[in-house]
Amino acid sequence: MQSDTDGVNVKRILVLNGPNLNLLGTREPEIYGRLTLDDINELLRVRASEADVDTIDFLQSNYEGELVEAIQKARGRYDFILLNAGALTHYSIALRDAIAAVPVPVIELHLSNIHRREEFRHTSVLAPVVMGQICGFGVDSYIAALDIAIRRLQKDTK
Ligand code: DQA
């Protein structure tokens, strides 16, 4: 983690969302809820500012390569990544390799409980290279991931 000029640690968090998460609010609301991605990001922004997070940035992309690049560029710029990779979770070796290549801890998260859904969703190719996985709590999966990142970063400052 970086320190500012007074030696106080700086907390920088990147929230990444993958394919189709731009459709939240109208996409299968019985599974994913009625909040839009903007609603979720606003909740995270408020929580982050209450916890003195210095930077919280958001990126959603429907393109695997754009997410890979965002992870590559996170090196040295962010202290934590919160990642809902959507369907890429289940098959993107490129995303997995990017996570493994960059020394920024990643929390994998999902709105739905991927383990109680179709069999193809039970496998996450990302799970072996992330810090941990949170799924099944709707918007609270995002909040929990942020809270964990904040707690980890606060521990680093002690
Ligand atoms: C998801 C679960 C994935 O299986 C699915 O492809 C998504 C959303 C979730 O947040 O529950 O797009 O990541």
Side-chain angles (χ1 to χ4, degrees), residues 119-157:
E119 198 152 346
F120 67 86
R121 295 186 206 273
H122 297 181
T123 301
S124 164
V125 299
L126 312 181
V129 293
V130 298
M131 182 176 249
Q133 183 193 71
I134 301 169
C135 71
F137 299 100
V139 64
D140 287 339
S141 293
Y142 284 86
I143 304 282
L146 177 61
D147 283 350
I148 291 166
I150 290 167
R151 283 169 63 88
R152 292 285 160 141
L153 292 171
Q154 281 166 345
K155 277 189 198 148
D156 280 355
T157 64

PDB file of all heavy atoms in Angstrom, residues 119-157:
ATOM      1  N   GLU A 119     -25.424 -26.061 -13.583  1.00  0.00           N
ATOM      2  CA  GLU A 119     -24.137 -26.691 -13.295  1.00  0.00           C
ATOM      3  C   GLU A 119     -22.941 -25.919 -13.870  1.00  0.00           C
ATOM      4  O   GLU A 119     -21.884 -25.835 -13.235  1.00  0.00           O
ATOM      5  CB  GLU A 119     -24.148 -28.126 -13.824  1.00  0.00           C
ATOM      6  CG  GLU A 119     -23.044 -28.897 -13.174  1.00  0.00           C
ATOM      7  CD  GLU A 119     -23.335 -30.384 -13.077  1.00  0.00           C
ATOM      8  OE1 GLU A 119     -24.500 -30.796 -13.265  1.00  0.00           O
ATOM      9  OE2 GLU A 119     -22.369 -31.099 -12.825  1.00  0.00           O
ATOM     10  N   PHE A 120     -23.128 -25.315 -15.074  1.00  0.00           N
ATOM     11  CA  PHE A 120     -21.981 -24.613 -15.666  1.00  0.00           C
ATOM     12  C   PHE A 120     -21.536 -23.415 -14.846  1.00  0.00           C
ATOM     13  O   PHE A 120     -20.419 -22.930 -14.993  1.00  0.00           O
ATOM     14  CB  PHE A 120     -22.268 -24.209 -17.130  1.00  0.00           C
ATOM     15  CG  PHE A 120     -23.351 -23.162 -17.283  1.00  0.00           C
ATOM     16  CD1 PHE A 120     -23.045 -21.815 -17.200  1.00  0.00           C
ATOM     17  CD2 PHE A 120     -24.669 -23.536 -17.524  1.00  0.00           C
ATOM     18  CE1 PHE A 120     -24.034 -20.839 -17.348  1.00  0.00           C
ATOM     19  CE2 PHE A 120     -25.671 -22.572 -17.676  1.00  0.00           C
ATOM     20  CZ  PHE A 120     -25.353 -21.230 -17.582  1.00  0.00           C
ATOM     21  N   ARG A 121     -22.425 -22.929 -13.937  1.00  0.00           N
ATOM     22  CA  ARG A 121     -22.046 -21.795 -13.091  1.00  0.00           C
ATOM     23  C   ARG A 121     -21.330 -22.240 -11.818  1.00  0.00           C
ATOM     24  O   ARG A 121     -20.836 -21.428 -11.052  1.00  0.00           O
ATOM     25  CB  ARG A 121     -23.274 -20.959 -12.708  1.00  0.00           C
ATOM     26  CG  ARG A 121     -23.935 -20.289 -13.876  1.00  0.00           C
ATOM     27  CD  ARG A 121     -25.053 -19.356 -13.411  1.00  0.00           C
ATOM     28  NE  ARG A 121     -26.042 -19.213 -14.464  1.00  0.00           N
ATOM     29  CZ  ARG A 121     -25.968 -18.310 -15.448  1.00  0.00           C
ATOM     30  NH1 ARG A 121     -24.968 -17.463 -15.494  1.00  0.00           N
ATOM     31  NH2 ARG A 121     -26.897 -18.253 -16.375  1.00  0.00           N
ATOM     32  N   HIS A 122     -21.292 -23.531 -11.570  1.00  0.00           N
ATOM     33  CA  HIS A 122     -20.691 -23.999 -10.317  1.00  0.00           C
ATOM     34  C   HIS A 122     -19.176 -23.847 -10.324  1.00  0.00           C
ATOM     35  O   HIS A 122     -18.548 -23.811  -9.272  1.00  0.00           O
ATOM     36  CB  HIS A 122     -21.040 -25.470 -10.054  1.00  0.00           C
ATOM     37  CG  HIS A 122     -22.502 -25.697  -9.864  1.00  0.00           C
ATOM     38  ND1 HIS A 122     -23.048 -26.932  -9.587  1.00  0.00           N
ATOM     39  CD2 HIS A 122     -23.553 -24.841  -9.926  1.00  0.00           C
ATOM     40  CE1 HIS A 122     -24.349 -26.828  -9.489  1.00  0.00           C
ATOM     41  NE2 HIS A 122     -24.692 -25.574  -9.690  1.00  0.00           N
ATOM     42  N   THR A 123     -18.606 -23.827 -11.538  1.00  0.00           N
ATOM     43  CA  THR A 123     -17.151 -23.704 -11.634  1.00  0.00           C
ATOM     44  C   THR A 123     -16.772 -22.250 -11.813  1.00  0.00           C
ATOM     45  O   THR A 123     -17.308 -21.558 -12.688  1.00  0.00           O
ATOM     46  CB  THR A 123     -16.634 -24.485 -12.870  1.00  0.00           C
ATOM     47  OG1 THR A 123     -17.020 -25.838 -12.717  1.00  0.00           O
ATOM     48  CG2 THR A 123     -15.121 -24.388 -12.978  1.00  0.00           C
ATOM     49  N   SER A 124     -15.838 -21.798 -10.990  1.00  0.00           N
ATOM     50  CA  SER A 124     -15.201 -20.495 -11.219  1.00  0.00           C
ATOM     51  C   SER A 124     -13.730 -20.767 -11.523  1.00  0.00           C
ATOM     52  O   SER A 124     -13.013 -21.282 -10.664  1.00  0.00           O
ATOM     53  CB  SER A 124     -15.307 -19.603  -9.979  1.00  0.00           C
ATOM     54  OG  SER A 124     -14.385 -18.528 -10.108  1.00  0.00           O
ATOM     55  N   VAL A 125     -13.304 -20.398 -12.721  1.00  0.00           N
ATOM     56  CA  VAL A 125     -11.880 -20.590 -13.044  1.00  0.00           C
ATOM     57  C   VAL A 125     -11.040 -19.518 -12.348  1.00  0.00           C
ATOM     58  O   VAL A 125      -9.814 -19.603 -12.342  1.00  0.00           O
ATOM     59  CB  VAL A 125     -11.609 -20.602 -14.576  1.00  0.00           C
ATOM     60  CG1 VAL A 125     -12.353 -21.747 -15.242  1.00  0.00           C
ATOM     61  CG2 VAL A 125     -11.932 -19.263 -15.229  1.00  0.00           C
ATOM     62  N   LEU A 126     -11.701 -18.516 -11.775  1.00  0.00           N
ATOM     63  CA  LEU A 126     -10.988 -17.446 -11.069  1.00  0.00           C
ATOM     64  C   LEU A 126     -10.710 -17.812  -9.608  1.00  0.00           C
ATOM     65  O   LEU A 126      -9.742 -17.318  -9.008  1.00  0.00           O
ATOM     66  CB  LEU A 126     -11.805 -16.150 -11.097  1.00  0.00           C
ATOM     67  CG  LEU A 126     -12.383 -15.712 -12.447  1.00  0.00           C
ATOM     68  CD1 LEU A 126     -13.134 -14.396 -12.290  1.00  0.00           C
ATOM     69  CD2 LEU A 126     -11.281 -15.573 -13.490  1.00  0.00           C
ATOM     70  N   ALA A 127     -11.553 -18.658  -9.051  1.00  0.00           N
ATOM     71  CA  ALA A 127     -11.507 -18.913  -7.598  1.00  0.00           C
ATOM     72  C   ALA A 127     -10.116 -19.305  -7.088  1.00  0.00           C
ATOM     73  O   ALA A 127      -9.706 -18.834  -6.023  1.00  0.00           O
ATOM     74  CB  ALA A 127     -12.559 -19.961  -7.224  1.00  0.00           C
ATOM     75  N   PRO A 128      -9.343 -20.128  -7.830  1.00  0.00           N
ATOM     76  CA  PRO A 128      -8.037 -20.516  -7.285  1.00  0.00           C
ATOM     77  C   PRO A 128      -7.026 -19.376  -7.205  1.00  0.00           C
ATOM     78  O   PRO A 128      -6.003 -19.523  -6.533  1.00  0.00           O
ATOM     79  CB  PRO A 128      -7.552 -21.596  -8.273  1.00  0.00           C
ATOM     80  CG  PRO A 128      -8.775 -22.070  -8.979  1.00  0.00           C
ATOM     81  CD  PRO A 128      -9.673 -20.880  -9.057  1.00  0.00           C
ATOM     82  N   VAL A 129      -7.273 -18.253  -7.881  1.00  0.00           N
ATOM     83  CA  VAL A 129      -6.265 -17.183  -7.869  1.00  0.00           C
ATOM     84  C   VAL A 129      -6.762 -15.906  -7.177  1.00  0.00           C
ATOM     85  O   VAL A 129      -6.045 -14.900  -7.142  1.00  0.00           O
ATOM     86  CB  VAL A 129      -5.760 -16.858  -9.304  1.00  0.00           C
ATOM     87  CG1 VAL A 129      -4.979 -18.025  -9.879  1.00  0.00           C
ATOM     88  CG2 VAL A 129      -6.896 -16.444 -10.232  1.00  0.00           C
ATOM     89  N   VAL A 130      -7.975 -15.931  -6.620  1.00  0.00           N
ATOM     90  CA  VAL A 130      -8.454 -14.755  -5.891  1.00  0.00           C
ATOM     91  C   VAL A 130      -8.279 -14.976  -4.387  1.00  0.00           C
ATOM     92  O   VAL A 130      -8.007 -16.089  -3.935  1.00  0.00           O
ATOM     93  CB  VAL A 130      -9.944 -14.433  -6.206  1.00  0.00           C
ATOM     94  CG1 VAL A 130     -10.122 -14.105  -7.682  1.00  0.00           C
ATOM     95  CG2 VAL A 130     -10.862 -15.565  -5.771  1.00  0.00           C
ATOM     96  N   MET A 131      -8.431 -13.884  -3.639  1.00  0.00           N
ATOM     97  CA  MET A 131      -8.305 -13.998  -2.184  1.00  0.00           C
ATOM     98  C   MET A 131      -9.474 -14.805  -1.619  1.00  0.00           C
ATOM     99  O   MET A 131      -9.300 -15.630  -0.727  1.00  0.00           O
ATOM    100  CB  MET A 131      -8.286 -12.584  -1.607  1.00  0.00           C
ATOM    101  CG  MET A 131      -8.104 -12.530  -0.125  1.00  0.00           C
ATOM    102  SD  MET A 131      -7.982 -10.812   0.371  1.00  0.00           S
ATOM    103  CE  MET A 131      -6.289 -10.771   0.838  1.00  0.00           C
ATOM    104  N   GLY A 132     -10.670 -14.552  -2.131  1.00  0.00           N
ATOM    105  CA  GLY A 132     -11.842 -15.284  -1.662  1.00  0.00           C
ATOM    106  C   GLY A 132     -13.035 -14.929  -2.525  1.00  0.00           C
ATOM    107  O   GLY A 132     -12.961 -14.020  -3.356  1.00  0.00           O
ATOM    108  N   GLN A 133     -14.117 -15.676  -2.293  1.00  0.00           N
ATOM    109  CA  GLN A 133     -15.322 -15.508  -3.116  1.00  0.00           C
ATOM    110  C   GLN A 133     -16.521 -15.237  -2.223  1.00  0.00           C
ATOM    111  O   GLN A 133     -16.677 -15.894  -1.187  1.00  0.00           O
ATOM    112  CB  GLN A 133     -15.560 -16.805  -3.893  1.00  0.00           C
ATOM    113  CG  GLN A 133     -16.720 -16.771  -4.848  1.00  0.00           C
ATOM    114  CD  GLN A 133     -17.080 -18.175  -5.334  1.00  0.00           C
ATOM    115  OE1 GLN A 133     -17.615 -18.985  -4.569  1.00  0.00           O
ATOM    116  NE2 GLN A 133     -16.782 -18.463  -6.587  1.00  0.00           N
ATOM    117  N   ILE A 134     -17.355 -14.270  -2.622  1.00  0.00           N
ATOM    118  CA  ILE A 134     -18.604 -13.984  -1.905  1.00  0.00           C
ATOM    119  C   ILE A 134     -19.722 -14.097  -2.929  1.00  0.00           C
ATOM    120  O   ILE A 134     -19.647 -13.471  -3.993  1.00  0.00           O
ATOM    121  CB  ILE A 134     -18.613 -12.557  -1.331  1.00  0.00           C
ATOM    122  CG1 ILE A 134     -17.447 -12.373  -0.363  1.00  0.00           C
ATOM    123  CG2 ILE A 134     -19.939 -12.244  -0.645  1.00  0.00           C
ATOM    124  CD1 ILE A 134     -17.233 -10.926   0.040  1.00  0.00           C
ATOM    125  N   CYS A 135     -20.749 -14.884  -2.653  1.00  0.00           N
ATOM    126  CA  CYS A 135     -21.840 -14.975  -3.618  1.00  0.00           C
ATOM    127  C   CYS A 135     -23.152 -15.270  -2.921  1.00  0.00           C
ATOM    128  O   CYS A 135     -23.177 -15.855  -1.835  1.00  0.00           O
ATOM    129  CB  CYS A 135     -21.542 -16.025  -4.687  1.00  0.00           C
ATOM    130  SG  CYS A 135     -21.600 -17.720  -4.131  1.00  0.00           S
ATOM    131  N   GLY A 136     -24.228 -14.801  -3.542  1.00  0.00           N
ATOM    132  CA  GLY A 136     -25.560 -15.188  -3.075  1.00  0.00           C
ATOM    133  C   GLY A 136     -26.261 -14.149  -2.227  1.00  0.00           C
ATOM    134  O   GLY A 136     -27.374 -14.384  -1.760  1.00  0.00           O
ATOM    135  N   PHE A 137     -25.657 -12.984  -2.022  1.00  0.00           N
ATOM    136  CA  PHE A 137     -26.245 -12.002  -1.112  1.00  0.00           C
ATOM    137  C   PHE A 137     -26.766 -10.761  -1.824  1.00  0.00           C
ATOM    138  O   PHE A 137     -26.975  -9.718  -1.205  1.00  0.00           O
ATOM    139  CB  PHE A 137     -25.226 -11.607  -0.037  1.00  0.00           C
ATOM    140  CG  PHE A 137     -24.792 -12.775   0.802  1.00  0.00           C
ATOM    141  CD1 PHE A 137     -23.596 -13.420   0.555  1.00  0.00           C
ATOM    142  CD2 PHE A 137     -25.617 -13.251   1.821  1.00  0.00           C
ATOM    143  CE1 PHE A 137     -23.201 -14.507   1.317  1.00  0.00           C
ATOM    144  CE2 PHE A 137     -25.228 -14.337   2.589  1.00  0.00           C
ATOM    145  CZ  PHE A 137     -24.023 -14.977   2.338  1.00  0.00           C
ATOM    146  N   GLY A 138     -26.956 -10.854  -3.134  1.00  0.00           N
ATOM    147  CA  GLY A 138     -27.438  -9.695  -3.881  1.00  0.00           C
ATOM    148  C   GLY A 138     -26.469  -8.537  -3.716  1.00  0.00           C
ATOM    149  O   GLY A 138     -25.241  -8.732  -3.700  1.00  0.00           O
ATOM    150  N   VAL A 139     -27.021  -7.325  -3.555  1.00  0.00           N
ATOM    151  CA  VAL A 139     -26.147  -6.146  -3.440  1.00  0.00           C
ATOM    152  C   VAL A 139     -25.221  -6.262  -2.226  1.00  0.00           C
ATOM    153  O   VAL A 139     -24.103  -5.720  -2.224  1.00  0.00           O
ATOM    154  CB  VAL A 139     -26.989  -4.846  -3.378  1.00  0.00           C
ATOM    155  CG1 VAL A 139     -27.859  -4.815  -2.132  1.00  0.00           C
ATOM    156  CG2 VAL A 139     -26.105  -3.618  -3.424  1.00  0.00           C
ATOM    157  N   ASP A 140     -25.652  -7.009  -1.219  1.00  0.00           N
ATOM    158  CA  ASP A 140     -24.791  -7.176  -0.032  1.00  0.00           C
ATOM    159  C   ASP A 140     -23.503  -7.924  -0.346  1.00  0.00           C
ATOM    160  O   ASP A 140     -22.543  -7.823   0.419  1.00  0.00           O
ATOM    161  CB  ASP A 140     -25.559  -7.890   1.090  1.00  0.00           C
ATOM    162  CG  ASP A 140     -26.595  -6.985   1.733  1.00  0.00           C
ATOM    163  OD1 ASP A 140     -26.465  -5.744   1.606  1.00  0.00           O
ATOM    164  OD2 ASP A 140     -27.542  -7.505   2.337  1.00  0.00           O
ATOM    165  N   SER A 141     -23.457  -8.671  -1.455  1.00  0.00           N
ATOM    166  CA  SER A 141     -22.183  -9.290  -1.858  1.00  0.00           C
ATOM    167  C   SER A 141     -21.150  -8.197  -2.148  1.00  0.00           C
ATOM    168  O   SER A 141     -19.971  -8.326  -1.802  1.00  0.00           O
ATOM    169  CB  SER A 141     -22.357 -10.160  -3.107  1.00  0.00           C
ATOM    170  OG  SER A 141     -23.156 -11.282  -2.845  1.00  0.00           O
ATOM    171  N   TYR A 142     -21.609  -7.119  -2.793  1.00  0.00           N
ATOM    172  CA  TYR A 142     -20.690  -5.996  -3.085  1.00  0.00           C
ATOM    173  C   TYR A 142     -20.276  -5.288  -1.795  1.00  0.00           C
ATOM    174  O   TYR A 142     -19.113  -4.965  -1.591  1.00  0.00           O
ATOM    175  CB  TYR A 142     -21.369  -4.976  -4.007  1.00  0.00           C
ATOM    176  CG  TYR A 142     -21.479  -5.388  -5.457  1.00  0.00           C
ATOM    177  CD1 TYR A 142     -22.544  -6.158  -5.907  1.00  0.00           C
ATOM    178  CD2 TYR A 142     -20.523  -4.989  -6.386  1.00  0.00           C
ATOM    179  CE1 TYR A 142     -22.656  -6.526  -7.232  1.00  0.00           C
ATOM    180  CE2 TYR A 142     -20.627  -5.349  -7.723  1.00  0.00           C
ATOM    181  CZ  TYR A 142     -21.692  -6.125  -8.133  1.00  0.00           C
ATOM    182  OH  TYR A 142     -21.795  -6.493  -9.458  1.00  0.00           O
ATOM    183  N   ILE A 143     -21.273  -5.045  -0.933  1.00  0.00           N
ATOM    184  CA  ILE A 143     -20.990  -4.316   0.318  1.00  0.00           C
ATOM    185  C   ILE A 143     -20.033  -5.132   1.184  1.00  0.00           C
ATOM    186  O   ILE A 143     -19.072  -4.598   1.755  1.00  0.00           O
ATOM    187  CB  ILE A 143     -22.309  -4.054   1.106  1.00  0.00           C
ATOM    188  CG1 ILE A 143     -23.325  -3.304   0.246  1.00  0.00           C
ATOM    189  CG2 ILE A 143     -22.030  -3.347   2.423  1.00  0.00           C
ATOM    190  CD1 ILE A 143     -23.118  -1.837   0.084  1.00  0.00           C
ATOM    191  N   ALA A 144     -20.286  -6.443   1.267  1.00  0.00           N
ATOM    192  CA  ALA A 144     -19.427  -7.301   2.089  1.00  0.00           C
ATOM    193  C   ALA A 144     -18.005  -7.309   1.537  1.00  0.00           C
ATOM    194  O   ALA A 144     -17.025  -7.235   2.292  1.00  0.00           O
ATOM    195  CB  ALA A 144     -19.997  -8.717   2.134  1.00  0.00           C
ATOM    196  N   ALA A 145     -17.879  -7.387   0.216  1.00  0.00           N
ATOM    197  CA  ALA A 145     -16.544  -7.394  -0.394  1.00  0.00           C
ATOM    198  C   ALA A 145     -15.814  -6.088  -0.074  1.00  0.00           C
ATOM    199  O   ALA A 145     -14.628  -6.090   0.279  1.00  0.00           O
ATOM    200  CB  ALA A 145     -16.659  -7.597  -1.907  1.00  0.00           C
ATOM    201  N   LEU A 146     -16.545  -4.969  -0.166  1.00  0.00           N
ATOM    202  CA  LEU A 146     -15.916  -3.676   0.139  1.00  0.00           C
ATOM    203  C   LEU A 146     -15.506  -3.618   1.608  1.00  0.00           C
ATOM    204  O   LEU A 146     -14.394  -3.187   1.935  1.00  0.00           O
ATOM    205  CB  LEU A 146     -16.881  -2.525  -0.197  1.00  0.00           C
ATOM    206  CG  LEU A 146     -16.369  -1.127   0.148  1.00  0.00           C
ATOM    207  CD1 LEU A 146     -15.079  -0.806  -0.629  1.00  0.00           C
ATOM    208  CD2 LEU A 146     -17.424  -0.069  -0.158  1.00  0.00           C
ATOM    209  N   ASP A 147     -16.387  -4.079   2.487  1.00  0.00           N
ATOM    210  CA  ASP A 147     -16.064  -4.047   3.926  1.00  0.00           C
ATOM    211  C   ASP A 147     -14.827  -4.890   4.227  1.00  0.00           C
ATOM    212  O   ASP A 147     -13.980  -4.496   5.027  1.00  0.00           O
ATOM    213  CB  ASP A 147     -17.255  -4.540   4.756  1.00  0.00           C
ATOM    214  CG  ASP A 147     -18.348  -3.472   4.869  1.00  0.00           C
ATOM    215  OD1 ASP A 147     -18.089  -2.311   4.462  1.00  0.00           O
ATOM    216  OD2 ASP A 147     -19.449  -3.789   5.343  1.00  0.00           O
ATOM    217  N   ILE A 148     -14.729  -6.037   3.587  1.00  0.00           N
ATOM    218  CA  ILE A 148     -13.554  -6.893   3.811  1.00  0.00           C
ATOM    219  C   ILE A 148     -12.287  -6.190   3.317  1.00  0.00           C
ATOM    220  O   ILE A 148     -11.265  -6.164   4.008  1.00  0.00           O
ATOM    221  CB  ILE A 148     -13.738  -8.265   3.136  1.00  0.00           C
ATOM    222  CG1 ILE A 148     -14.821  -9.050   3.866  1.00  0.00           C
ATOM    223  CG2 ILE A 148     -12.416  -9.053   3.119  1.00  0.00           C
ATOM    224  CD1 ILE A 148     -15.339 -10.260   3.109  1.00  0.00           C
ATOM    225  N   ALA A 149     -12.363  -5.596   2.135  1.00  0.00           N
ATOM    226  CA  ALA A 149     -11.189  -4.886   1.599  1.00  0.00           C
ATOM    227  C   ALA A 149     -10.773  -3.769   2.560  1.00  0.00           C
ATOM    228  O   ALA A 149      -9.593  -3.621   2.884  1.00  0.00           O
ATOM    229  CB  ALA A 149     -11.503  -4.328   0.214  1.00  0.00           C
ATOM    230  N   ILE A 150     -11.756  -3.021   3.052  1.00  0.00           N
ATOM    231  CA  ILE A 150     -11.458  -1.906   3.968  1.00  0.00           C
ATOM    232  C   ILE A 150     -10.810  -2.431   5.252  1.00  0.00           C
ATOM    233  O   ILE A 150      -9.803  -1.903   5.714  1.00  0.00           O
ATOM    234  CB  ILE A 150     -12.746  -1.108   4.284  1.00  0.00           C
ATOM    235  CG1 ILE A 150     -13.195  -0.334   3.049  1.00  0.00           C
ATOM    236  CG2 ILE A 150     -12.524  -0.154   5.459  1.00  0.00           C
ATOM    237  CD1 ILE A 150     -14.597   0.239   3.130  1.00  0.00           C
ATOM    238  N   ARG A 151     -11.380  -3.500   5.799  1.00  0.00           N
ATOM    239  CA  ARG A 151     -10.803  -4.064   7.037  1.00  0.00           C
ATOM    240  C   ARG A 151      -9.373  -4.531   6.811  1.00  0.00           C
ATOM    241  O   ARG A 151      -8.504  -4.321   7.643  1.00  0.00           O
ATOM    242  CB  ARG A 151     -11.669  -5.222   7.543  1.00  0.00           C
ATOM    243  CG  ARG A 151     -12.947  -4.738   8.231  1.00  0.00           C
ATOM    244  CD  ARG A 151     -13.885  -5.890   8.458  1.00  0.00           C
ATOM    245  NE  ARG A 151     -13.307  -6.875   9.347  1.00  0.00           N
ATOM    246  CZ  ARG A 151     -13.408  -6.858  10.672  1.00  0.00           C
ATOM    247  NH1 ARG A 151     -14.067  -5.886  11.265  1.00  0.00           N
ATOM    248  NH2 ARG A 151     -12.866  -7.804  11.407  1.00  0.00           N
ATOM    249  N   ARG A 152      -9.144  -5.187   5.691  1.00  0.00           N
ATOM    250  CA  ARG A 152      -7.780  -5.647   5.381  1.00  0.00           C
ATOM    251  C   ARG A 152      -6.828  -4.463   5.272  1.00  0.00           C
ATOM    252  O   ARG A 152      -5.704  -4.515   5.746  1.00  0.00           O
ATOM    253  CB  ARG A 152      -7.759  -6.421   4.064  1.00  0.00           C
ATOM    254  CG  ARG A 152      -8.472  -7.735   4.118  1.00  0.00           C
ATOM    255  CD  ARG A 152      -7.634  -8.727   4.876  1.00  0.00           C
ATOM    256  NE  ARG A 152      -8.445  -9.810   5.342  1.00  0.00           N
ATOM    257  CZ  ARG A 152      -8.053 -11.082   5.349  1.00  0.00           C
ATOM    258  NH1 ARG A 152      -6.862 -11.412   4.919  1.00  0.00           N
ATOM    259  NH2 ARG A 152      -8.844 -12.011   5.812  1.00  0.00           N
ATOM    260  N   LEU A 153      -7.280  -3.396   4.625  1.00  0.00           N
ATOM    261  CA  LEU A 153      -6.409  -2.237   4.427  1.00  0.00           C
ATOM    262  C   LEU A 153      -6.177  -1.513   5.757  1.00  0.00           C
ATOM    263  O   LEU A 153      -5.082  -1.002   5.999  1.00  0.00           O
ATOM    264  CB  LEU A 153      -7.009  -1.292   3.384  1.00  0.00           C
ATOM    265  CG  LEU A 153      -7.039  -1.873   1.965  1.00  0.00           C
ATOM    266  CD1 LEU A 153      -7.837  -0.991   1.023  1.00  0.00           C
ATOM    267  CD2 LEU A 153      -5.624  -2.058   1.437  1.00  0.00           C
ATOM    268  N   GLN A 154      -7.202  -1.503   6.634  1.00  0.00           N
ATOM    269  CA  GLN A 154      -7.008  -0.878   7.955  1.00  0.00           C
ATOM    270  C   GLN A 154      -5.998  -1.675   8.775  1.00  0.00           C
ATOM    271  O   GLN A 154      -5.160  -1.119   9.448  1.00  0.00           O
ATOM    272  CB  GLN A 154      -8.336  -0.749   8.686  1.00  0.00           C
ATOM    273  CG  GLN A 154      -9.134   0.430   8.173  1.00  0.00           C
ATOM    274  CD  GLN A 154     -10.576   0.433   8.602  1.00  0.00           C
ATOM    275  OE1 GLN A 154     -11.099  -0.584   9.071  1.00  0.00           O
ATOM    276  NE2 GLN A 154     -11.241   1.544   8.428  1.00  0.00           N
ATOM    277  N   LYS A 155      -6.082  -3.015   8.661  1.00  0.00           N
ATOM    278  CA  LYS A 155      -5.105  -3.857   9.396  1.00  0.00           C
ATOM    279  C   LYS A 155      -3.690  -3.551   8.935  1.00  0.00           C
ATOM    280  O   LYS A 155      -2.767  -3.537   9.711  1.00  0.00           O
ATOM    281  CB  LYS A 155      -5.413  -5.331   9.177  1.00  0.00           C
ATOM    282  CG  LYS A 155      -6.473  -5.843  10.100  1.00  0.00           C
ATOM    283  CD  LYS A 155      -6.602  -7.341   9.996  1.00  0.00           C
ATOM    284  CE  LYS A 155      -7.936  -7.763  10.571  1.00  0.00           C
ATOM    285  NZ  LYS A 155      -8.478  -8.927   9.929  1.00  0.00           N
ATOM    286  N   ASP A 156      -3.542  -3.302   7.619  1.00  0.00           N
ATOM    287  CA  ASP A 156      -2.216  -2.988   7.063  1.00  0.00           C
ATOM    288  C   ASP A 156      -1.638  -1.725   7.668  1.00  0.00           C
ATOM    289  O   ASP A 156      -0.440  -1.517   7.646  1.00  0.00           O
ATOM    290  CB  ASP A 156      -2.309  -2.766   5.539  1.00  0.00           C
ATOM    291  CG  ASP A 156      -2.358  -4.086   4.798  1.00  0.00           C
ATOM    292  OD1 ASP A 156      -2.228  -5.133   5.440  1.00  0.00           O
ATOM    293  OD2 ASP A 156      -2.518  -4.039   3.570  1.00  0.00           O
ATOM    294  N   THR A 157      -2.529  -0.826   8.151  1.00  0.00           N
ATOM    295  CA  THR A 157      -2.023   0.449   8.649  1.00  0.00           C
ATOM    296  C   THR A 157      -1.570   0.322  10.094  1.00  0.00           C
ATOM    297  O   THR A 157      -1.024   1.250  10.659  1.00  0.00           O
ATOM    298  CB  THR A 157      -3.103   1.552   8.586  1.00  0.00           C
ATOM    299  OG1 THR A 157      -4.166   1.190   9.473  1.00  0.00           O
ATOM    300  CG2 THR A 157      -3.619   1.741   7.185  1.00  0.00           C
TER     301      THR A 157
END
